[in-house]
Amino acid sequence: MKFFKFLMLFFFAFLISCGDDKNREPGIETAKEEEAEVIEKLASADLIARKFPEISNSVGNIALQHANLLDSIYSKRDYTPIWTDRALREDLYRSIERSTEDGLEPEDYHLTYLQNSLANLSQLDDEERSLTEIILTDAFLGLASDYNSGKLNPKEIYSIWGVESNKINLPGLLEYGVQQNDILAAIDSVVPKHEVYKGLKRSLKQYRELAENEENSTIISEEGENIKADEKDSRIPNIKRRLKELGYWDKEIIDTATVYDEALQNAVKEYQEKYGIETDGVIGGGTIKTLNKTYQDRLEQILVNLERWRWYPKDLGDQHIVVNIANYRLHFVRNGDTVATHRTMVGTEARKTPVFSDEVEHIVYNPTWTIPPTIKSKDVIPSAKKDPNYISRKNYSIFNRSGQRLAPSEVDWSSSEVKAYTFRQEAGPANPLGLVKIIYPNEYMIYLHDTPSKSLFNKNLRAQSSGCVRVQDVLELAKMLLSDQPKYDNEKIKEILDSGRTTTIKVTQNVKVHHLYWTAWNENGSTRFAEDIYKRDAAIYKLLTAN
């Protein structure tokens, strides 16, 4: 236990640099000489100890976030006060104020209470000062915890969630921040450092200003047919007005001009591309609904995605593959640099690709496809019942519980036993896994793979798989994963593919794979949005703003 504590303190020492009082701006507390004695006596051990019998989930009329930790922390130090240094108190208060820059709510960390108490310490009685001491500690614990792993627990929101919560030793972090007299750095050490998170903070600032200054935005009627090139529609003037408000149209708007001309088509395509809509120039229901979203709607989306990034791993790995499910993109990252980006296809609404993390283990060329249970029961068995030639046409093999291969004619398709059989599609042009699959064993049976339906990658909306992730140019990705094994050069891989034989190669590099989901990010200084394909943003925002 002592060794663990030493390691934790060493970790925090690495992250935290000592504070410099000379660089601190004036804080919320006054600096009158006559108040120094009062501030020094913020609380005594006896006063603090007396408060704890009454602490449950609240103290006084203040709800506590970490009541279970408070007694443990104070009892181990014989109830001696923590916040005897004005600089520590003021730095914690600054951190609480600044939490709004990360989309957190300062009131969750007792902002108003601390504002009143810290600004008037000389006027507080003994009990109020001891209460302030305890509230400061709870505020630190709550703020550090929310930065580290989020305000919400995703495992309580989703039935499938495969990312482990970020671990934190809150008492150890507090102890070291106090020892080093640097609460600001202690808090900063648990703030996510990923570039997507940093970009979202910049977007948050921008969209708060846009939402604050937004006046009555133009609403486009959602009644009517899709509008295609050169068609007339009475909504065209309002579409131009809305695009003008959003910065995509700078030409004159004439109410009588109702033809969907080429100039407007180009503006619509530019808008569709930025907002993750099918970039076909057709003004359909999805495009109009997106145009009708206000800056406030987008601000809420940014807040949701900041929370998501507090759920995700702090360290994605020196080498990692990250799949943004919502944006249909895969990025291969080495030492902070994105060395490859691929389009993907992900699971449908009914068969969602789950959020989880794992590590690449091996690559299979000319893969067979073992039919997953859901597809087997919902697609394969019903189709085989109706069509005697279905199994042979699909190049499927059937195996009973003993591993014995069965001919389709030997199977009683009306028997419940058939659900226990293994169905495998052999390697070949009809195999939906294409020429290669990349395996990182996981409980969801999800992997990256090729596909014979390569034209589908040209579509913007690509939630079309049964949960696994199809990757454009996946052979190039596989080649990068084998780049440290010279014997698997282009000639050798071609030989394997041409043979048609299923060949498994172990990956010897350490490469993490993260299936994540985010619908807003900042790219090259511009805020981008993806369609919320699994309809998750609104529910998260509602939970974030509850109470």
Side-chain angles (χ1 to χ4, degrees), residues 127-151:
E127 179 157 336
E128 289 169 332
R129 289 199 298 275
S130 63
L131 181 59
T132 299
E133 162 74 31
I134 294 167
I135 297 303
L136 281 163
T137 303
D138 188 68
F140 174 90
L141 298 175
L143 184 61
S145 176
D146 288 357
Y147 268 128
N148 184 69
S149 49
K151 179 179 176 181

Side-chain angles (χ1 to χ4, degrees), residues 44-92:
S44 68
D46 286 344
L47 283 171
I48 296 169
R50 281 183 219 153
K51 298 300 298 181
F52 274 90
E54 67 185 70
I55 289 179
S56 55
N57 290 325
S58 63
V59 58
N61 61 351
I62 304 296
L64 299 172
Q65 286 196 46
H66 290 274
N68 59 322
L69 275 178
L70 288 170
D71 193 23
S72 172
I73 288 171
Y74 279 102
S75 63
K76 286 179 180 177
R77 54 188 293 125
D78 296 325
Y79 298 96
T80 57
I82 296 169
W83 305 96
T84 56
D85 189 316
R86 175 186 293 171
L88 292 180
R89 298 191 294 266
E90 292 185 340
D91 282 355
L92 176 58

